[in-house]
Amino acid sequence: MPEADSAVWTPVGQGNINDTYRVDVVLGGEQKVILLQRLNHLVFKDPAQVMDNTSRICAYLTAQPDYPLQVPSPILAKDGSNLVRDDQGNYWRAFPFIERSYTPDGLVTPDIARKAARAYGAFARALRDFPAATLAETIPGFHDTDMRWLAFLEVIRQDPVSRVGGVQKEIDALFAAKPLFDLISRLKRSGELPLRVSHNDTKAGNVLFSMDTHEPLAVIDLDTVMPGTLLSDFGDMVRTFVPSLTENSVDEPHLRLDVLLALREGFLSETGDFITTSEQQHLLTGGAWIIGEQALRFLTDWIAGDVYYKIGYPEHNLVRARNQLQLLAMVNREL
């Protein structure tokens, strides 16, 4: 990309990981708009791997004639690279800015949930024959629940800040969820859950919608696209779309079953003819798994002394863990 004659930067969104800006630039007298992002290399330890995955996925999607969504492929720098490191050691990348688009905020309606799930299903469908095993794990062990369980046991053993005694009820709830984690691990090992390209962050905010038609325009934020299972993608939709309250709420959430049904309808409308019987039968199990895994992560961090997640107040991670455990109990009742 040539040097800009002028540029105006405007922050976009409130992402928890990367810093994102809309940049209005004049290039050779022509007005252009790009999306500029600073990639958080403390979370993504190998930024080049992230961008290699992203570029390969975008190129593959662009080549699929029946993929119904836009593909915001990385914009290359002057030297042809898709990633630039500045003098302070920060990593930057650029994407096309899709005008007149928005991401849903707050509790989404069943209609928006159905459309977003359809978009994620179309993403999975277009990538169904992509060799998933050739992608890098941009966050190693991201959904390796067995590994996270061992970390949980170790932090209980060490009890570094003397918190175990106050959360025995929550620890017991996670031990009660262990058969669920074991089931998912068995299904993955046996091949009943095939290795597929998984987005791994299927929240509403990662689907761009048109301001004009209110239809999906693009699936975005491909940083966590890795080898995995589609159950984690459907599960993360259940975790983030369906509850009546966010994970940060101290009040008890409830399941919005109309949204859950809409998610299933939308996702299967695009995936139902190629996913396996086991994948289809265990979609809701995937929801319970991802919710339980997130409870496991929050409680592990609470016992460890809040070393991973950003917190807004001292008991934040404990509130999050309790919220997810309540949600897990509700989803289990639907299984």
Short mmCIF file of all heavy atoms in Angstrom, two decimals, residues 11 17 41 51 53 113 129 140 145 148 154 169 174 186 202-203 222 224 270 283 285 288 301 305 318 321 330:
data_model
loop_
_atom_site.label_atom_id
_atom_site.label_comp_id
_atom_site.label_asym_id
_atom_site.label_seq_id
_atom_site.Cartn_x
_atom_site.Cartn_y
_atom_site.Cartn_z
N PRO A 11 -11.07 5.47 16.45
CA PRO A 11 -11.21 4.16 17.11
C PRO A 11 -12.54 3.50 16.74
O PRO A 11 -13.57 4.15 16.62
CB PRO A 11 -11.15 4.49 18.60
CG PRO A 11 -10.45 5.81 18.68
CD PRO A 11 -10.87 6.55 17.44
N ILE A 17 -9.08 -7.55 22.85
CA ILE A 17 -7.75 -8.07 22.53
C ILE A 17 -6.98 -7.10 21.64
O ILE A 17 -5.90 -6.64 22.01
CB ILE A 17 -7.87 -9.45 21.85
CG1 ILE A 17 -8.49 -10.46 22.83
CG2 ILE A 17 -6.50 -9.95 21.39
CD1 ILE A 17 -8.70 -11.83 22.24
N HIS A 41 0.16 -9.09 20.45
CA HIS A 41 1.10 -10.19 20.38
C HIS A 41 1.38 -10.83 21.74
O HIS A 41 2.14 -11.78 21.84
CB HIS A 41 2.43 -9.72 19.74
CG HIS A 41 3.11 -8.61 20.46
ND1 HIS A 41 2.76 -7.28 20.27
CD2 HIS A 41 4.11 -8.60 21.38
CE1 HIS A 41 3.53 -6.52 21.02
NE2 HIS A 41 4.34 -7.30 21.71
N MET A 51 -1.53 -14.31 10.73
CA MET A 51 -1.78 -13.72 9.42
C MET A 51 -1.66 -14.74 8.29
O MET A 51 -2.33 -14.61 7.26
CB MET A 51 -0.83 -12.54 9.19
CG MET A 51 -1.12 -11.35 10.09
SD MET A 51 -2.87 -10.86 10.07
CE MET A 51 -3.07 -10.35 8.36
N ASN A 53 -2.62 -17.92 8.59
CA ASN A 53 -3.93 -18.56 8.63
C ASN A 53 -4.99 -17.69 7.97
O ASN A 53 -5.78 -18.14 7.15
CB ASN A 53 -4.36 -18.80 10.09
CG ASN A 53 -3.78 -20.07 10.69
OD1 ASN A 53 -2.93 -20.72 10.10
ND2 ASN A 53 -4.23 -20.41 11.87
N ALA A 113 -30.23 -13.69 15.53
CA ALA A 113 -29.51 -14.91 15.89
C ALA A 113 -29.54 -15.92 14.75
O ALA A 113 -28.52 -16.53 14.42
CB ALA A 113 -30.13 -15.52 17.15
N ASP A 129 -14.05 -28.51 2.97
CA ASP A 129 -13.01 -29.34 2.36
C ASP A 129 -11.61 -28.75 2.54
O ASP A 129 -10.64 -29.28 1.99
CB ASP A 129 -13.30 -29.51 0.86
CG ASP A 129 -14.58 -30.29 0.61
OD1 ASP A 129 -14.85 -31.23 1.38
OD2 ASP A 129 -15.30 -29.96 -0.35
N PRO A 140 -2.38 -22.18 21.23
CA PRO A 140 -2.26 -23.62 21.45
C PRO A 140 -3.13 -24.10 22.62
O PRO A 140 -3.18 -23.47 23.68
CB PRO A 140 -0.77 -23.80 21.75
CG PRO A 140 -0.11 -22.66 21.03
CD PRO A 140 -1.07 -21.51 21.18
N THR A 145 -9.78 -29.20 26.66
CA THR A 145 -10.37 -29.17 28.00
C THR A 145 -9.62 -30.12 28.94
O THR A 145 -9.56 -29.86 30.15
CB THR A 145 -11.86 -29.55 27.95
OG1 THR A 145 -12.47 -28.88 26.84
CG2 THR A 145 -12.57 -29.11 29.21
N ARG A 148 -6.87 -28.08 30.28
CA ARG A 148 -7.39 -27.09 31.22
C ARG A 148 -7.82 -27.74 32.53
O ARG A 148 -7.72 -27.12 33.60
CB ARG A 148 -8.54 -26.33 30.57
CG ARG A 148 -8.10 -25.48 29.38
CD ARG A 148 -9.16 -24.49 28.95
NE ARG A 148 -8.78 -23.74 27.78
CZ ARG A 148 -7.95 -22.69 27.79
NH1 ARG A 148 -7.42 -22.30 28.94
NH2 ARG A 148 -7.66 -22.04 26.67
N GLU A 154 -4.18 -28.63 39.40
CA GLU A 154 -2.91 -28.14 39.94
C GLU A 154 -3.09 -26.87 40.74
O GLU A 154 -2.48 -26.70 41.81
CB GLU A 154 -1.92 -27.92 38.80
CG GLU A 154 -0.53 -27.45 39.24
CD GLU A 154 0.20 -28.44 40.13
OE1 GLU A 154 -0.20 -29.63 40.17
OE2 GLU A 154 1.16 -28.01 40.81
N LYS A 169 -18.25 -25.32 46.72
CA LYS A 169 -19.48 -25.58 45.97
C LYS A 169 -19.22 -25.48 44.47
O LYS A 169 -19.70 -26.33 43.69
CB LYS A 169 -20.56 -24.58 46.39
CG LYS A 169 -21.87 -24.75 45.65
CD LYS A 169 -22.89 -23.70 46.10
CE LYS A 169 -24.18 -23.79 45.30
NZ LYS A 169 -25.17 -22.74 45.71
N LEU A 174 -17.98 -28.26 39.10
CA LEU A 174 -17.12 -28.58 37.97
C LEU A 174 -16.75 -30.06 37.95
O LEU A 174 -16.67 -30.66 36.87
CB LEU A 174 -15.87 -27.69 37.98
CG LEU A 174 -16.12 -26.28 37.45
CD1 LEU A 174 -14.91 -25.38 37.67
CD2 LEU A 174 -16.46 -26.31 35.96
N ARG A 186 -13.66 -37.88 24.20
CA ARG A 186 -13.79 -39.20 23.55
C ARG A 186 -14.29 -39.06 22.12
O ARG A 186 -13.80 -39.73 21.20
CB ARG A 186 -14.74 -40.08 24.37
CG ARG A 186 -14.93 -41.47 23.75
CD ARG A 186 -15.91 -42.31 24.55
NE ARG A 186 -17.25 -41.74 24.57
CZ ARG A 186 -18.10 -41.84 23.56
NH1 ARG A 186 -17.76 -42.44 22.42
NH2 ARG A 186 -19.32 -41.32 23.66
N THR A 202 -17.45 -17.23 17.91
CA THR A 202 -18.68 -17.03 17.14
C THR A 202 -19.71 -16.21 17.92
O THR A 202 -20.87 -16.60 18.06
CB THR A 202 -19.28 -18.38 16.74
OG1 THR A 202 -19.36 -19.23 17.91
CG2 THR A 202 -18.44 -19.05 15.67
N LYS A 203 -19.32 -15.06 18.39
CA LYS A 203 -20.26 -14.14 19.03
C LYS A 203 -20.95 -13.30 17.97
O LYS A 203 -20.51 -13.24 16.80
CB LYS A 203 -19.52 -13.24 20.03
CG LYS A 203 -18.42 -12.41 19.40
CD LYS A 203 -17.59 -11.73 20.48
CE LYS A 203 -16.44 -10.95 19.86
NZ LYS A 203 -15.51 -10.43 20.89
N LEU A 222 -10.77 -13.36 12.17
CA LEU A 222 -10.33 -14.72 11.91
C LEU A 222 -9.08 -15.11 12.70
O LEU A 222 -8.46 -16.13 12.41
CB LEU A 222 -10.06 -14.89 10.40
CG LEU A 222 -11.20 -14.48 9.46
CD1 LEU A 222 -10.84 -14.83 8.02
CD2 LEU A 222 -12.52 -15.11 9.86
N THR A 224 -8.66 -16.43 15.56
CA THR A 224 -8.72 -17.72 16.27
C THR A 224 -9.17 -18.86 15.36
O THR A 224 -9.53 -19.94 15.86
CB THR A 224 -9.66 -17.63 17.48
OG1 THR A 224 -10.93 -17.15 17.05
CG2 THR A 224 -9.08 -16.70 18.54
N GLU A 270 -27.37 -24.28 6.77
CA GLU A 270 -26.16 -24.26 5.93
C GLU A 270 -25.29 -25.49 6.10
O GLU A 270 -24.50 -25.82 5.22
CB GLU A 270 -25.33 -23.01 6.27
CG GLU A 270 -25.97 -21.69 5.87
CD GLU A 270 -25.95 -21.46 4.37
OE1 GLU A 270 -25.21 -22.17 3.67
OE2 GLU A 270 -26.67 -20.57 3.89
N LEU A 283 -25.01 -31.03 18.99
CA LEU A 283 -24.87 -29.57 18.92
C LEU A 283 -25.11 -28.92 20.28
O LEU A 283 -24.31 -28.08 20.73
CB LEU A 283 -25.84 -28.99 17.89
CG LEU A 283 -25.44 -29.10 16.41
CD1 LEU A 283 -26.52 -28.49 15.54
CD2 LEU A 283 -24.09 -28.43 16.15
N THR A 285 -24.95 -30.36 23.16
CA THR A 285 -23.87 -30.81 24.04
C THR A 285 -22.67 -29.88 23.89
O THR A 285 -21.98 -29.58 24.87
CB THR A 285 -23.45 -32.25 23.69
OG1 THR A 285 -24.60 -33.09 23.68
CG2 THR A 285 -22.43 -32.79 24.68
N ALA A 288 -23.20 -26.94 26.15
CA ALA A 288 -22.87 -27.25 27.54
C ALA A 288 -21.36 -27.33 27.73
O ALA A 288 -20.81 -26.83 28.73
CB ALA A 288 -23.53 -28.57 27.95
N ASP A 301 -8.82 -19.24 37.20
CA ASP A 301 -8.16 -17.94 37.34
C ASP A 301 -8.46 -17.31 38.70
O ASP A 301 -7.58 -16.65 39.28
CB ASP A 301 -8.59 -17.01 36.20
CG ASP A 301 -7.60 -15.89 35.96
OD1 ASP A 301 -6.39 -16.11 36.15
OD2 ASP A 301 -8.03 -14.78 35.59
N GLY A 305 -5.55 -16.43 41.60
CA GLY A 305 -5.27 -15.05 42.01
C GLY A 305 -5.46 -14.05 40.89
O GLY A 305 -4.81 -13.00 40.90
N LEU A 318 -14.88 -14.74 40.10
CA LEU A 318 -15.78 -15.63 40.81
C LEU A 318 -17.22 -15.41 40.35
O LEU A 318 -17.97 -16.38 40.16
CB LEU A 318 -15.66 -15.41 42.32
CG LEU A 318 -16.53 -16.29 43.20
CD1 LEU A 318 -16.27 -17.77 42.92
CD2 LEU A 318 -16.31 -15.97 44.68
N ALA A 321 -17.52 -17.11 37.01
CA ALA A 321 -17.58 -18.57 37.13
C ALA A 321 -18.96 -19.03 37.59
O ALA A 321 -19.52 -19.99 37.06
CB ALA A 321 -16.51 -19.04 38.10
N MET A 330 -28.61 -24.95 33.47
CA MET A 330 -29.82 -24.74 32.67
C MET A 330 -29.73 -25.46 31.32
O MET A 330 -30.70 -26.07 30.86
CB MET A 330 -30.04 -23.24 32.46
CG MET A 330 -30.37 -22.50 33.72
SD MET A 330 -30.47 -20.71 33.45
CE MET A 330 -30.57 -20.13 35.14
#
